[in-house]
């Protein structure tokens, strides 16, 4: 019996064969560079960092699974980001298309989880220079687990990846994908945060560039995977917005090149491109990123012109990304030049830079050191806001200039707090740290919420089609999301906002975070987010998922004041300086821990009281303005005869008077 294939089946089989070949090629491109570099280097790489050689079984296994882990992690992030950004969900439904296949996500997230679990052991042994047999020794596993940061990092990543894999069996709504997006972003960033980028002079620059590199690579890969997947058949094309995917692909490719401008000088640490193996690999990485930019531009042109799906170009771009991952993984297997640069002082180890002199007023405002992560976030936030304002004005509508000014001042406060001398000295002086904390937690969010970004976006995208219409529907879904209501719950926000001070500073958590650049950035990010949620409930212009009456807003503002005051008093009265061991490690000659903590306590006290009073004044002004508007509206409706409540009240009085007259008449009889 012979099997007959239709032309459609034959074309489909060819596409599947091409896709399978591309996947195999991608895995080889990702694995081979790291594996070959590891075997060729032998024990030399370990000798340079004073570690014993664990043997090729450990070194080779680590190289292979590290490469597959990075590739599968980026692919997981790409698929989730593609579904969030480019999926064409039905206009009147929050549910995903019924025929959307989550099998690719299931495969890559499962691979990501499995390789992360293996790397807990493999990279743990590799990082301390021990063979596999060490795990069989008494206490061997516990020693390996605490011997470096990698086992903990990959344990967390494995949990996140496993949750992503499990979610593929239950995800139904677009909002469910947002949870997966957070898991995949942080799951990919965690190994980066504790890896090579955490070491050496200027590692604050390198670490921030690494975090942004994860986001940019995920954006490029999501564009490529979306275009490639959509080319598998007509039905797949209908599920995704390929024009938007192509645009974001170019943005991501440009982002990778811009990030490289920061990453390359950090990793080379003053050495030439051809002076080390790392330099040669960085040169190859540059070339791949340039090729990737050209390919994404060509793909964008083809899709915008309607000349097919660019399936071949998408597959080629995917192979370039896989090769780029391979180069990245190869660099991670050898000690880079920045490992051996710098003075090696404790200030450089913890902060990435020196603080030879104490802070003065001029230095706090004029001696800047850019915080790359928050500078980029601030620029993107301001640029996006301005674009939306221009869209509103092009529609013939007005937008209050004071709101625009408040938004810009809020993000300018973030930049000043993190990139000026205040941010530069925040890691070495507790008092200055508290100033930046209060600025990020109170002043910046207070200004941001007065900008009303959600209201602006809804106005700018109202009545729009295409990407703007899609964005507006997604924003409305996000505001109606049950999780958004839970996160905006006043009790939850208030408890987290207040307890953050006590849990962070009165436990060992603060000292732990201060030891790492990612800890500094995580604290800063937390301060901004929880501050924004808190002040949005009280004086925010936007109408959020949970809206409090004005008396409730006033109560929420007053309730925080005693907690700030008590926290400030606790800081000033604590005999042992907070994070004492950390500051003693830094051992700055100009540092006075007791005086610095007293300053920090005073800042926490005054910094909580003064902004709260400003908030109360602003809230009273909003309340009064709202009352005037309501009275004006009622008077206008009464004049026009449209006030049903007033008419009903008058009718009730007439009925009561008639009843009284009837009762009096009956008594007279």
């Amino acid at each position: 019996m012979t099997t007959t294939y239709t032309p459609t089946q034959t074309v489909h089989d060819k596409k599947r064969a091409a896709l399978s070949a591309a996947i195999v090629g991608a895995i080889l491109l990702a694995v081979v560079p790291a594996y070959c570099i590891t075997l060729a280097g032998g024990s030399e790489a370990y000798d340079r960092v004073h570690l014993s050689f664990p043997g090729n079984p450990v070194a080779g296994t680590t190289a292979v699974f590290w490469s597959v882990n990075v590739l599968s992690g980026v692919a997981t992030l790409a698929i989730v980001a593609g579904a969030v950004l480019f999926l064409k969900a039905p206009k009147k439904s929050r549910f995903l298309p019924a025929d959307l296949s989550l099998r690719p996500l299931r495969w890559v997230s499962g691979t990501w989880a499995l390789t992360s679990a293996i790397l807990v052991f493999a990279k743990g042994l590799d990082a301390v220079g021990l063979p596999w047999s060490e795990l069989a020794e008494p206490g061997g596993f516990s020693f390996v687990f605490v011997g470096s940061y990698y086992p903990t990092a990959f344990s967390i990543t494995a949990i996140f990846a496993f949750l992503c894999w499990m979610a593929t069996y239950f995800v139904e709504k677009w909002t469910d994908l947002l949870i997966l997006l957070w898991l995949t972003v942080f799951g990919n960033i965690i190994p980066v945060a504790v890896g090579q980028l955490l070491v050496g002079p200027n590692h604050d620059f390198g670490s921030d560039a690494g975090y942004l590199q994860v986001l940019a690579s995920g954006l490029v890969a999501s564009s490529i995977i979306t275009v490639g997947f959509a080319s598998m058949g007509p039905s797949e094309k209908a599920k995704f917005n390929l024009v938007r995917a192509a645009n974001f692909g170019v943005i991501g490719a440009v982002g990778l090149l811009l990030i490289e401008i920061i990453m390359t000088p950090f990793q080379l640490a003053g050495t030439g491109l051809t002076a080390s193996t790392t330099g040669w690999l960085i040169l190859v990485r540059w070339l791949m990123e340039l090729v990737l930019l050209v390919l994404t531009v060509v793909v964008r042109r083809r899709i915008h012109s309607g000349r097919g799906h660019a399936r071949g170009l998408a597959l080629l771009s995917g192979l370039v990304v896989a090769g780029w991952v391979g180069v990245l993984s190869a660099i991670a297997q050898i000690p880079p030049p920045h490992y051996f640069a710098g003075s090696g002082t404790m200030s450089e180890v913890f902060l990435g830079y020196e603080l030879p002199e104490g802070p003065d007023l001029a230095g706090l405002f004029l001696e800047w050191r850019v915080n790359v992560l928050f500078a980029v976030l601030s620029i993107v936030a301001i640029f996006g806001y301005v674009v939306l304002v221009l869209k509103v004005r092009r529609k013939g509508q007005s937008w209050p200039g004071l709101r625009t000014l408040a938004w810009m001042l809020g993000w300018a406060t973030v930049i000043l707090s993190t990139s000026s001398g205040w941010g530069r000295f925040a890691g070495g002086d507790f008092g200055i740290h508290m100033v930046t904390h209060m600025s990020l937690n109170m002043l910046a969010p207070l200004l941001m919420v007065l900008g009303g970004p959600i209201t602006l976006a809804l106005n700018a995208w109202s009545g729009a089609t295409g990407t703007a219409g899609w964005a507006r529907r997604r924003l409305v879904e996000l505001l109606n999301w049950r999780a958004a209501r839970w996160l905006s719950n006043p009790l939850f926000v208030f408890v987290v906002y207040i307890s953050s001070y006590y849990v962070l500073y009165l436990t060992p958590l603060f000292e732990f975070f201060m030891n790492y650049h990612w800890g500094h950035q995580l604290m800063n990010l937390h301060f901004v987010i929880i501050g924004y949620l808190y002040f949005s409930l009280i004086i925010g212009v936007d109408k959020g998922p949970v809206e409090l009456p004005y008396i409730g807003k006033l109560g929420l503002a007053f309730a925080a004041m005693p907690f700030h005051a008590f926290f400030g008093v606790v800081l000033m009265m604590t005999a042992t300086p907070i994070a004492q061991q950390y500051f003693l490690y830094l051992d700055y000659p100009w540092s006075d821990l007791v005086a610095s903590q007293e300053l920090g306590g005073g800042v926490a006290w005054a910094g909580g009281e003064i902004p709260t009073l400003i908030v109360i004044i602003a809230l009273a002004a909003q309340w009064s303005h709202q009352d005037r508007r309501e009275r004006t509206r009622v008077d206008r409706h009464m004049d026009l005869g449209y006030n049903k409540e007033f008419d009903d009240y008058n009718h009730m009085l007439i009925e009561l008077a008639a009843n009284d007259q009837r009762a009096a008449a009956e008594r007279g009889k």
Side-chain angles (χ1 to χ4, degrees), residues 143-184:
F143 174 76
V144 169
F145 198 87
V146 300
S148 70
Y149 305 126
Y150 285 111
T152 302
F154 279 111
S155 295
I156 299 173
T157 299
I159 294 172
F160 286 3
F162 177 75
L163 291 174
C164 288
W165 175 76
M166 287 291 294
T168 59
Y169 292 94
F170 305 103
V171 63
E172 293 181 344
K173 301 178 182 178
W174 174 80
T175 47
D176 296 339
L177 294 173
L178 294 178
I179 300 175
L180 297 189
L181 185 62
W182 277 102
L183 290 174
T184 53

Side-chain angles (χ1 to χ4, degrees), residues 365-376:
F365 284 98
L366 300 178
E367 296 180 9
W368 283 54
R369 183 178 180 85
V370 176
N371 186 306
V372 176
L373 179 62
F374 280 91
V376 170

Side-chain angles (χ1 to χ4, degrees), residues 373-395:
L373 179 62
F374 280 91
V376 170
L377 290 177
S378 301
I379 292 170
V380 170
I382 293 173
F383 177 78
Y385 192 95
V386 171
V387 169
L388 292 176
V389 170
L390 294 176
K391 286 180 70 69
V392 168
R393 291 182 176 175
R394 279 198 297 267
K395 294 169 63 176

Side-chain angles (χ1 to χ4, degrees), residues 68-69 72-74 76-77 80 105-118 153-169 179-180 182-188 190-191:
V68 177
N69 181 265
S72 58
V74 170
T76 303
L77 173 59
V80 175
L105 178 59
R106 192 169 299 149
W107 276 101
V108 294
S109 60
T111 303
W112 187 30
L114 179 61
T115 53
S116 297
I118 293 173
F154 279 111
S155 295
I156 299 173
T157 299
I159 294 172
F160 286 3
F162 177 75
L163 291 174
C164 288
W165 175 76
M166 287 291 294
T168 59
Y169 292 94
I179 300 175
L180 297 189
W182 277 102
L183 290 174
T184 53
V185 167
F186 281 101
N188 277 281
I190 288 171

